[in-house]
Amino acid sequence: MTTTEVSENWAENREDYALRPVPSSYQRWSVPSLFGVMFGITTAMFFFSWGGTLVHAYGTVNLVVGLLVATVIVGALAYLWTSAASRSGLGSDLLTRGAGFGFLGSTVTSLIFAVNSLLFFAFEGSIMANAVMAQWPSVPRWLVYAGAGAVFIPLTWYGLRLVNILMWVTLPVFAVFMALTIWHAAHTPVDVGFWSYRPAAGAGPDAGPPVLQLLAAAFGVAGTIPVAADFGRFIPARRRRLGSFVVGPVFAAVTFLGPTLLGAWLSLRFGETDPGKYLPGVFGVWGVLFVVTTQLRINLSNAYSGSLQFAGFFCRVFGVTPGRHWFVVLTVVLGGALMFGDLYSRLNAVLTFGGVFMLAWIACVVADMTINKRLLRLSPPQFEYRRSRLPALNPVGLGAIAGALVVSVPPAFGLFGPLGMTLAPFVAAAAAFVLVPAIALATKGRYYTVASTAEEVVPGDDLVRCVVCSERHAPADFVSCPFHRGAICSVCCAAERSCRSLCKNTTAELERTPA
């Protein structure tokens, strides 16, 4: 392989098709490899800490019942998203464009997902920082937070392939330390029985049944659904069903019924919910190493997901396309800043509130996938993502998510008391799911695509060179641009501002771009 080929290969890995579909030639990831990356999310200390928080609030029986229900719901939704991503090669953002939001409309959901990634980056980073400060309390907090964020810039710079390597390299360290932790916890004498445990105070009855409260908090981690799609777009189409099942339902079951329940048990054995505190107390410096290794694994995924969303947002809104890897820096800086807000101490409240926004978006896309595309046939069967074929705004998705948030955000803020806060995520999901087909019927599906003078590029065996950036990609990613008078790729088309969407204005005079 020549130096030029090596350079192009690493450039491809670094960019990771953040703003365009993954071509079938790049969909060569095995299911175990993708599950290995997703397993890095599963083994996050967040889930151990979250399990401890939940069991202390609701008791073991309610915890198990709630997690079983959450496994079924989240697993089924993740399967739908991942299957669509594998079939089309599109990530969560590109899927959303053609699922009722439009070219610019989906920037709303990009921000929702980006903020969700930042929140979890801050959660996980706080656990890592707590472990360091528990062992070395004299180290300044700001320095620990800065280091806990900056380390992820080089680690996620070269995309998912490097992330996968790091996940597998660190897995043995995690396995050894987790086995030692379980052994130590099992030999720690306690007076509390895990399966019979009920908190002395218990969950407040004003907020509804404990299982319902727990489900509301569980839906706060619904961000794993679009994450599964972003990773699932690398699954070869021929392995779509198996891959989607593994990355979707299997991943949900392993996550909710593995580390979350194990974290609940460990918290009762050690009398502390935060593994960033009890692991250094048990193993000293080795406990800090355990926490840091584990948190490196999960925040690789958070930084990667955040960079994808910011790349799409800035490309469409500002026409800025420096490359996905530069938005890793933005994700790390903003996520690190959120650590100073101490969101980790208000974990359940933040998750419940965040779940309102995530579920509204997820329900909109699922409703379009299942009802508008398959039953009503008001939405095109394929997910169109190219600017030349999409309206800027589609009232179907935007109207649905706006309506869902109008009726769910006030109760999420406590306007209708504790019960309203519990019900808010469910109201958001139900409203979005109903409004999507209702608005599509009212508009007769007119806003999913637009007429365009930009013609399709004739498919062939060879890659097509973009007239703007000179990069070569699959023909399906191109249209024949009347402004540039040549084949233009979807990314350059998305970032172009001078044309003023000339291809959508049939009465405009077609002029060649100035030299």
Side-chain angles (χ1 to χ4, degrees), residues 25-357:
S25 61
Y26 201 71
Q27 284 183 314
R28 50 180 181 263
W29 281 64
S30 67
V31 173
S33 293
L34 279 169
F35 184 76
V37 176
M38 295 294 289
F39 193 65
I41 301 175
T42 295
T43 56
M45 286 296 169
F46 163 81
F47 288 106
F48 292 90
S49 175
W50 186 49
T53 301
L54 293 177
V55 77
H56 281 281
Y58 305 110
T60 303
V61 173
N62 291 322
L63 175 64
V64 173
V65 173
L67 291 180
L68 283 171
V69 177
T71 296
V72 174
I73 297 175
V74 172
L77 294 176
Y79 178 87
L80 291 174
W81 275 65
T82 306
S83 178
S86 173
R87 184 170 59 249
S88 63
L90 302 177
S92 58
D93 177 55
L94 299 185
L95 285 174
T96 303
R97 292 186 195 179
F101 283 82
F103 179 74
L104 289 179
S106 63
T107 57
V108 174
T109 62
S110 291
L111 279 181
I112 291 175
F113 193 14
V115 170
N116 183 78
S117 298
L118 293 178
L119 289 175
F120 278 87
F121 187 93
F123 290 152
E124 304 292 358
S126 295
I127 295 175
M128 184 192 303
N130 287 344
V132 174
M133 289 184 291
Q135 185 66 25
W136 297 289
S138 60
V139 180
R141 181 179 295 270
W142 67 266
L143 183 60
V144 177
Y145 283 170
V151 67
F152 294 98
I153 294 176
L155 295 179
T156 53
W157 193 262
Y158 284 101
L160 196 59
R161 185 165 296 180
L162 182 57
V163 170
N164 178 51
I165 294 172
L166 292 170
M167 290 294 189
W168 285 106
V169 168
T170 55
L171 182 59
V173 178
F174 171 83
V176 170
F177 275 112
M178 182 51 64
L180 292 174
T181 301
I182 294 173
W183 181 89
H184 192 280
H187 290 80
T188 300
V190 293
D191 298 327
V192 179
F194 175 67
W195 294 106
S196 61
Y197 176 74
R198 293 182 180 180
D206 294 342
V211 172
L212 194 66
Q213 294 183 51
L214 195 145
L215 272 177
F219 289 146
V221 298
T224 57
I225 295 170
V227 169
D230 286 336
F231 292 159
R233 64 199 172 111
F234 295 99
I235 299 174
R238 66 182 184 278
R239 300 181 188 144
R240 175 174 58 87
R241 296 185 185 278
L242 174 61
S244 300
F245 182 74
V246 171
V247 177
V250 173
F251 166 75
V254 171
T255 301
F256 287 128
L257 305 180
T260 307
L261 279 181
L262 180 57
W265 178 73
L266 290 173
S267 73
L268 294 179
R269 305 294 297 188
F270 292 124
E272 168 64 56
T273 61
D274 186 356
K277 294 180 179 178
Y278 64 69
L279 287 174
V282 173
F283 298 112
V285 175
W286 293 105
V288 177
L289 176 62
F290 181 23
V291 174
V292 169
T293 301
T294 304
Q295 297 313 90
L296 284 176
R297 292 163 57 79
I298 175 56
N299 260 357
L300 289 172
S301 299
N302 290 327
Y304 178 79
S305 294
S307 70
L308 289 179
Q309 302 311 311
F310 280 124
F313 177 82
F314 277 86
C315 173
R316 282 169 290 161
V317 176
F318 302 108
V320 177
T321 56
R324 178 206 62 82
H325 50 293
W326 288 108
F327 290 106
V328 170
V329 179
L330 178 63
T331 302
V332 167
V333 170
L334 294 179
L338 285 177
M339 293 184 200
F340 289 92
D342 195 25
L343 299 177
Y344 182 57
S345 65
R346 296 179 287 274
L347 186 61
N348 276 350
V350 173
L351 287 178
T352 301
F353 183 75
V356 169
F357 290 85

Side-chain angles (χ1 to χ4, degrees), residues 3 19-20 31 78 121 161 196 209 232 276 305 310 320 335 348 390 407 422 439 456 473 484:
T3 303
L19 301 176
R20 67 178 90 244
V31 173
F121 187 93
R161 185 165 296 180
S196 61
S305 294
F310 280 124
V320 177
N348 276 350
L390 289 173
V407 298
T422 300
I439 298 174
E456 297 284 351
H473 296 284
H484 288 284

